[in-house]
Every structure is written in structure tokens, then in C-alpha cells.
Amino acid sequence: MKTIRVRITAEELEAKRISEILERAFEDDGNPVTIYEATPDGRLWAAEILLFDMEPEEAAATVRDRVGADAFAAPLEAEELPDINWVEKSLEGLKPVKAGRFVVHGSHDRDKVPGGAIGIEIEAALAFGTGHHGTTAGCLEEIDRLLSMRAYDSILDLGTGTGVLAIAAALQSRQLVLATDIDPVATKTALENARLNGAGHLVRGFTANGIEDRRFRLFGPFDLVIANILARPLMKMAKSIGERMTPTATLVLSGLRVEDGPRILFAYGCQGFILDRRGEKDGWLTLTLVRGRKQA
């Protein structure tokens, strides 16, 4: 599968604005967007997005079409990247991440998990969610906090990615957790990671588009749902998620920019949820909502 990098270079404020436009324009597709200093003096910055399975000219046209003229006073270039596992490459220099009592690490850092911590080993794979992103770390901290306070009867990790959140919930609660994703590669990866971490007997999973698949009935209704996705799909699924949850339930939502908070709270407020806790990491938001009761 071809990987095309589309890069837009501009001064810092403009590049950051373009990066935010790219994230909004491609949030439903999940294409990775990055921003970094492009010159040693910090005068120019680059906003980049990776597109897959297309030619460079097509990728450039796709970006221009999605974003429109608003962002393109700045020069744009597109190039095909070498056939490298970019996820694996990006993880090579990453250090273990501590979030609550969890430590997410690669196999080369097994010896760096301190006593008393819950280690979760995640290697590079064709799915995202390693603990290094603010949304994943925020969810891990909430899982630790919530499961330290009480037990839940039925737990769902919706949009599981690498499965790190499902594994965390399973290892801490020692009970069954359902992990689902729209991407079959992610579902397979999550289940393999669960086995690697000694939670294979506790994590069940299947591939499903959204939460309306009838197989959810075999595991629900859920009294704890963790959904680290993106704002737009979370908005669209508010009613369906609410219908799959118990009258007294807890919902952890992430994959959200800080500015997404009000519209997410409104959408889930219509399903009877109220805000219990709000966390922010690196400009990303994690919201804990409750229905039918107030958390401690």
C-alpha cells in the first residue's frame, strides 16, 4: 500500500492553523496529521498528513479539495514515502508511558515497569493507540480511577485500536471486556495484544461499524463504555451509545479537541448524561460522563 506524505510549509501560526484544518477535514478518515519546526531558526513550520493507496498528485488534489482555498497561500508538496512500517519506525524512540497505575511499553522496556504498576506491552502495528497520545493517556488515567472506586458489570472499549484500553480495564478489573473497532486490522491487533499481555481470556472482540450491530446485545447493556474515537463520529453515535448503556452508567469519551467539549456535552446530555470529570492533555480532552447517579 502506497503512503503519500502531503506537506504544507508556512510560518508558525499559519502552519498550526493549517494543521487544525487538516485534522477537522480528515477526522472521519483517521489520517495522521503532524506539525513540526521545518527550519533550525523556527521561522518556518510544516503541517503534514499521510494518505494511503493513491498517487502523489491524487493525494495533493484530495487535500486541496477537502480543505479548500482557505489554507493554501502556503506551498504544498506531495511525495511517496519508502515502503517502511512507519508506525514501527515512529515507536522506536518512544519511552514507556505512565498513566495512573498503568505503564505502556515496548518489549525492549519490560524491565522498566516498576513494582506495583500494571505493565501493558504494545508493539508497533497497523493500528493506533500506544499510550503516548494525550487521548489514550487520559483514558488510561480514568480507567485506573474508576475501577479503583467500584466494580462494573459490563465494560465496552469502542474503537479499540491497539486494544490498550480494553487490556487495561481487563487487567485491573479481572473481568470480561468487549473490544470493537470498525477496522478489522485493529480488531485483530487488539486481540493479539490482549493475548500477549495475559488478558486473552478476558478480552472479547469483533469488527463492527458503530454500535448498532446486534452482536452488542450479547454483551450489554454496558455500565462502563470507553470510546476514544473522534468528535464527529461520537456526535453521530450519541443516541446509539446511550441506548446500549444501562440507566445508571459511566461513559469515558476522548479523541476530542478542547473546543469539542460543549457540543459533545450537549449531544450526550440529550441522552441523560452529565459531566462528572474533565481532563486535558496536550490540547486533547477526556470527558467522564455519568447517567442516573453521581460518581464519587
Side-chain angles (χ1 to χ4, degrees):
M1 178 174 67
K2 289 186 177 181
T3 300
I4 308 300
R5 177 173 59 196
V6 180
R7 177 191 293 131
I8 305 165
T9 306
E11 293 186 356
E12 181 179 358
L13 291 179
E14 178 67 1
K16 289 181 177 179
R17 187 179 72 85
I18 291 170
S19 174
E20 291 175 356
I21 292 172
L22 288 171
E23 287 178 342
R24 289 195 298 269
F26 288 87
E27 67 177 348
D28 282 348
D29 302 329
N31 295 83
V33 175
T34 57
I35 183 167
Y36 59 90
E37 293 184 31
T39 57
D41 60 6
R43 188 178 68 83
L44 293 180
W45 286 59
E48 290 186 352
I49 183 169
L50 297 184
L51 300 176
F52 305 99
D53 206 21
M54 59 178 68
E55 298 298 327
E57 298 80 9
E58 182 185 359
T62 298
V63 171
R64 289 193 179 97
D65 180 62
R66 291 279 188 95
V67 178
D70 183 50
F72 290 105
L76 178 150
E77 56 182 324
E79 62 175 335
E80 182 178 350
L81 297 179
D83 187 16
I84 295 173
N85 186 332
W86 290 100
V87 176
E88 182 174 2
K89 193 73 175 174
S90 69
L91 291 177
E92 285 179 354
L94 295 181
K95 298 178 181 178
V97 170
K98 187 177 188 305
R101 75 180 66 184
F102 303 109
V103 176
V104 184
H105 62 91
S107 58
H108 56 289
D109 283 323
R110 288 175 189 163
D111 59 342
K112 296 181 181 177
V113 179
I118 300 175
I120 303 176
E121 185 173 309
I122 301 291
E123 293 299 340
L126 296 177
F128 296 97
T130 63
H132 295 83
H133 197 281
T135 60
T136 309
C139 288
L140 286 170
E141 290 178 355
E142 273 303 276
I143 289 170
D144 180 31
R145 185 182 74 90
L146 292 168
L147 293 178
S148 295
M149 292 191 302
R150 57 159 292 192
Y152 291 86
D153 295 323
S154 186
I155 303 173
L156 167 64
D157 175 18
L158 182 65
T160 191
T162 57
V164 64
L165 302 181
I167 294 165
L171 290 177
Q172 186 167 347
S173 67
R174 307 310 302 177
Q175 69 181 76
L176 184 69
V177 176
L178 177 63
T180 69
D181 203 285
I182 192 173
D183 181 0
V185 174
T187 307
K188 179 181 178 183
T189 299
L191 295 178
E192 288 176 351
N193 283 332
R195 287 192 288 272
L196 172 68
N197 285 277
H201 62 299
L202 294 172
V203 177
R204 299 287 182 271
F206 56 81
T207 302
N209 186 1
I211 197 171
E212 295 183 354
D213 190 297
R214 63 183 60 188
R215 286 174 291 177
F216 283 99
R217 296 177 185 173
L218 301 175
F219 297 88
F222 304 96
D223 58 352
L224 175 59
V225 171
I226 306 112
N228 181 15
I229 311 178
L230 290 167
R232 191 175 299 171
L234 283 175
M235 292 277 292
K236 292 178 181 177
M237 291 192 293
K239 186 174 186 295
S240 298
I241 289 175
E243 290 174 346
R244 292 292 189 196
M245 299 185 70
T246 63
T248 55
T250 301
L251 177 60
V252 179
L253 301 177
S254 198
L256 309 171
R257 286 296 193 179
V258 171
E259 58 268 24
D260 296 324
R263 58 183 179 144
I264 291 291
L265 291 175
F266 176 80
Y268 285 87
C270 293
Q271 307 306 316
F273 287 93
I274 62 172
L275 178 64
D276 178 64
R277 192 177 180 91
R278 178 186 185 279
E280 183 181 336
K281 282 183 179 292
D282 304 323
W284 293 93
L285 192 62
T286 300
L287 299 174
T288 300
L289 311 177
V290 294
R291 181 167 69 182
R293 57 182 165 76
K294 187 75 172 70
Q295 282 289 96

